[in-house]
Amino acid sequence: MPTVLIIDDDCATCAALETLLKKKRFCVFLAPDGPTGIRLIGSVSFDAVVIDMFMPGMDGIATIRELIKLDPTVPFIAISGYAFTDKKLGAPDFLGMAIKLGATAALQKPFDILDLLEAVDRAIEVRQRLLTEARRVAPHPRLSGRAHDEHPGR
């Protein structure tokens, strides 16, 4: 069963996404902020992470940067209630920045649930491909799913 983490400070959004993804047979974890999400990423192997761009404290961009440091094979989907912004207006384009950092998708709230499900499925495909490539290049206990003690030669 694929495991998805949702990092969003909006309880209603978290509840709606959790319900939707659980109905589609995903295992879902929720984090109300970036630091909580980062702690979970350090202890659970996620197939995809959905990250809100605007949260108090650690925003989505800072959360993404920490996620990449912890596990660059975890694909993420950026979501935001704010539109892609026009550079002429001088406002930062956080969804665009997330794409540049490697987001597999960027969705503006409210988004169609089919768009989210498609984005999550695509993210999981990316994760599987990255893990397969990583195992081929250099087998590592965390990537292979074997515990440290089970690794041959140790």
Side-chain angles (χ1 to χ4, degrees):
M1 175 182 311
T3 304
V4 178
L5 171 61
I6 300 166
I7 306 173
D8 196 324
D9 63 314
D10 181 0
C11 295
T13 298
C14 282
L17 295 180
E18 178 182 32
T19 300
L20 170 70
L21 292 172
K22 281 186 173 182
K23 281 183 182 177
K24 297 294 181 180
R25 304 272 188 227
F26 290 98
C27 178
V28 180
F29 286 73
L30 302 176
D33 54 42
T36 303
I38 294 302
R39 280 193 299 280
L40 283 169
I41 290 164
S43 62
V44 178
S45 179
F46 291 103
D47 295 297
V49 179
V50 178
I51 304 172
D52 183 35
M53 291 294 92
F54 293 94
M55 297 179 286
M58 180 184 252
D59 66 20
I61 297 298
T63 303
I64 289 167
R65 287 187 173 127
E66 289 301 312
L67 177 148
I68 292 168
K69 285 181 197 173
L70 278 172
D71 189 347
T73 67
V74 177
F76 57 94
I77 299 158
I79 61 173
S80 177
Y82 296 93
F84 287 89
T85 54
D86 186 343
K87 291 183 182 184
K88 295 175 189 171
L89 299 175
D93 177 1
F94 288 100
L95 288 172
M97 289 168 64
I99 293 289
K100 287 179 183 172
L101 288 170
T104 57
L107 304 173
Q108 181 183 340
K109 298 176 193 176
F111 43 78
D112 186 283
I113 59 170
L114 293 177
D115 290 339
L116 176 72
L117 291 172
E118 184 179 299
V120 170
D121 286 342
R122 191 168 53 248
I124 290 169
E125 289 172 11
V126 167
R127 168 80 167 171
Q128 293 307 315
R129 188 175 65 246
L130 289 172
L131 288 176
T132 300
E133 290 171 8
R135 284 186 194 115
R136 209 175 304 134
V137 173
H140 183 278
R142 180 174 172 158
L143 297 178
S144 69
R146 288 189 272 190
H148 177 73
D149 295 338
E150 298 172 2
H151 197 278
R154 292 201 181 178

